[in-house]
Amino acid sequence: MRADKERRRAISREAARRRRRVESDVFGDLCRLLPLRASIRDHLDKPSVIRLAVCYIRLKTLLQDDLYVSPFLDLKGTTEAAEETGIYLTILEGFVMVLSLEGDMMFLSDNVSCYLGLTQTELMGHNIFEFTHPYDHKEIKSNLRLSAEEFWSDAKRDFVVRIKSTLSLQGRSTNIKSATWKVLQCQGRARACAGPFPASCLLLTCRPLPVSHTLLCARTFSSQHSMDMKFTQCDHSVLSILGYPSHELVGRSIYELCHTLDTIRLTKYHVDLYSKSQSVSGRYRILVKGGGYVWVESHSAVVPRVRASRTGAPQHLMVLCVTYVLSDVEEPFLQLSVDQ
């Protein structure tokens, strides 16, 4: 009786070892199919393997023929594709993200760790709402929602969010519990996929703000503003660009110079700026002295004017703004304001 019990236990232990061995082989085969470097694959646990495998299956279904994002996906995992991807990402000055309409991060380019500290494999398969600021969830949901007209039209998306970053100001990696908020400008479009399993996603390029432009030219000017967007200081170069002497702009609001049709866009930009401390305006028109207008884009940040004292005195804030002129003067003989 006792011998039979021991024999059954031995058979059970051997069966369990065999199951674990088969399971490990299956997970090993699945892991080797992932288009990741061997050094990354070697450190993946089983839940991560499943999570990443599901992401890549969904990606292959949605985006294998998409010219917009396929250079970044590197689904084949080849050295040549990796080198090409690195060139694209260097030019981009940011990273690529693919979001499902439920907010799942189906793909992030592997350089995401340079900007957020969190790695590609740590983020893929998780929901973006787990890592973004609660006050930004409403805006994210509105961008994930597609109307009937947008479903097949590759609708554009452009919004600013705050996302967790484990990088300190010195560039060192910290614990996720000590993460700070990094402001990202997310631009891209919606992509619908037909077939037996129709689905949609957002293809986004994400750049940290303020954006570090390497090609600054003479058609750029910087300015400082009070929190109600009145000029307090402006580069002298604004004279050659817009025709206004810098002292003439001090005390005037940016809305006095903005084209009337662009005021709603500019207002949304300023709401983002005040709530998230950094923002990019997108294209809008500024009136030129003497007539006409030019297309510009402004990159702004809210910074302290003076350091707050230890006594708890309120901190004085101001807006730093860099404006890039994107066009020549259009309709130069058209007067759009009495102040031109």
Side-chain angles (χ1 to χ4, degrees):
M1 197 73 179
R2 192 170 187 179
D4 290 342
K5 186 181 287 188
E6 288 296 330
R7 185 164 53 84
R8 286 195 299 270
R9 286 179 179 174
I11 293 172
S12 178
R13 285 195 295 270
E14 179 60 30
R17 279 195 293 269
R18 189 181 301 113
R19 284 195 301 271
R20 287 194 294 270
R21 190 162 52 247
V22 171
E23 182 183 275
S24 296
D25 291 342
V26 170
F27 272 99
D29 292 340
L30 181 59
C31 186
R32 283 187 288 274
L33 290 174
L34 295 175
L36 300 169
R37 295 192 300 271
S39 58
I40 297 176
R41 292 198 301 261
D42 292 343
H43 294 88
L44 294 177
D45 56 15
K46 292 177 181 178
S48 297
V49 171
I50 295 175
R51 173 168 51 84
L52 294 172
V54 171
C55 285
Y56 280 111
I57 290 171
R58 296 173 70 184
L59 275 175
K60 193 167 181 63
T61 303
L62 275 170
L63 303 172
Q64 59 182 344
D65 298 322
D66 195 292
L67 297 177
Y68 174 85
V69 77
S70 57
F72 302 105
L73 295 183
D74 189 16
L75 293 179
K76 298 179 180 178
T78 62
T79 303
E80 294 79 5
E83 292 176 353
E84 182 182 4
T85 300
I87 294 172
Y88 281 117
L89 294 173
T90 300
I91 297 172
L92 178 65
E93 294 187 339
F95 60 91
V96 173
M97 178 165 58
V98 180
L99 277 181
S100 72
L101 296 191
E102 293 76 36
D104 296 326
M105 293 182 282
M106 295 193 296
F107 176 79
L108 296 104
S109 53
D110 60 2
N111 70 328
V112 65
S113 58
C114 301
Y115 300 96
L116 302 183
L118 300 166
T119 65
Q120 177 190 40
T121 53
E122 287 176 320
L123 292 170
M124 279 179 61
H126 290 289
N127 197 281
I128 193 171
F129 296 110
E130 299 174 23
F131 294 90
T132 49
H133 197 289
Y135 287 175
D136 295 340
H137 288 182
K138 183 177 179 181
E139 183 172 7
I140 296 172
K141 288 177 182 176
S142 68
N143 280 281
L144 292 175
R145 195 178 303 117
L146 289 181
S147 65
E149 294 79 13
E150 291 178 324
F151 195 80
W152 300 109
S153 62
D154 285 349
K156 292 183 179 180
R157 291 292 184 266
D158 188 350
F159 56 98
V160 176
V161 298
R162 288 162 288 185
I163 193 166
K164 288 181 180 178
S165 170
T166 58
L167 290 178
S168 66
L169 294 176
Q170 292 76 29
R172 299 173 183 171
S173 185
T174 61
N175 190 282
I176 187 65
K177 294 182 179 178
S178 305
T180 56
W181 298 113
K182 175 155 286 190
V183 183
L184 296 178
Q185 182 190 20
C186 302
Q187 295 176 305
R189 59 183 176 86
R191 167 72 153 79
C193 175
F197 305 103
S200 299
C201 63
L202 297 187
L203 313 178
L204 301 170
T205 55
C206 305
R207 299 185 299 171
L209 298 179
V211 179
S212 58
H213 286 275
T214 56
L215 297 176
L216 297 181
C217 63
R219 294 170 65 81
T220 303
F221 65 91
S222 61
S223 56
Q224 296 180 14
H225 303 258
S226 57
M227 294 303 291
D228 58 359
M229 292 311 295
K230 289 183 178 179
F231 285 90
T232 58
Q233 187 176 328
C234 191
D235 273 353
H236 294 296
S237 59
V238 73
L239 176 62
S240 60
I241 298 172
L242 299 180
Y244 301 98
S246 56
H247 67 270
E248 189 177 310
L249 294 177
V250 174
R252 295 179 63 180
S253 170
I254 187 66
Y255 287 96
E256 296 180 36
L257 303 181
C258 174
H259 194 290
T260 306
L261 297 178
D262 296 331
T263 52
I264 295 178
R265 178 195 297 269
L266 204 61
T267 300
K268 182 184 181 302
Y269 152 61
H270 290 145
V271 170
D272 280 344
L273 176 64
Y274 297 148
S275 61
K276 301 166 187 174
S277 297
Q278 295 172 330
S279 192
V280 174
S281 67
R283 286 162 49 93
Y284 69 99
R285 287 163 286 190
I286 279 188
L287 305 184
V288 175
K289 190 175 180 66
Y293 56 84
V294 291
W295 288 93
V296 301
E297 180 176 275
S298 297
H299 297 206
S300 303
V302 177
V303 298
R305 188 184 300 273
V306 294
R307 190 178 298 276
S309 66
R310 295 182 180 179
T311 59
Q315 196 175 44
H316 298 284
L317 302 175
M318 66 177 178
V319 176
L320 292 182
C321 184
V322 177
T323 300
Y324 303 88
V325 180
L326 307 176
S327 73
D328 294 326
V329 178
E330 298 185 12
E331 302 188 64
F333 303 106
L334 182 62
Q335 289 279 347
L336 298 169
S337 169
V338 295
D339 297 322
Q340 274 187 286

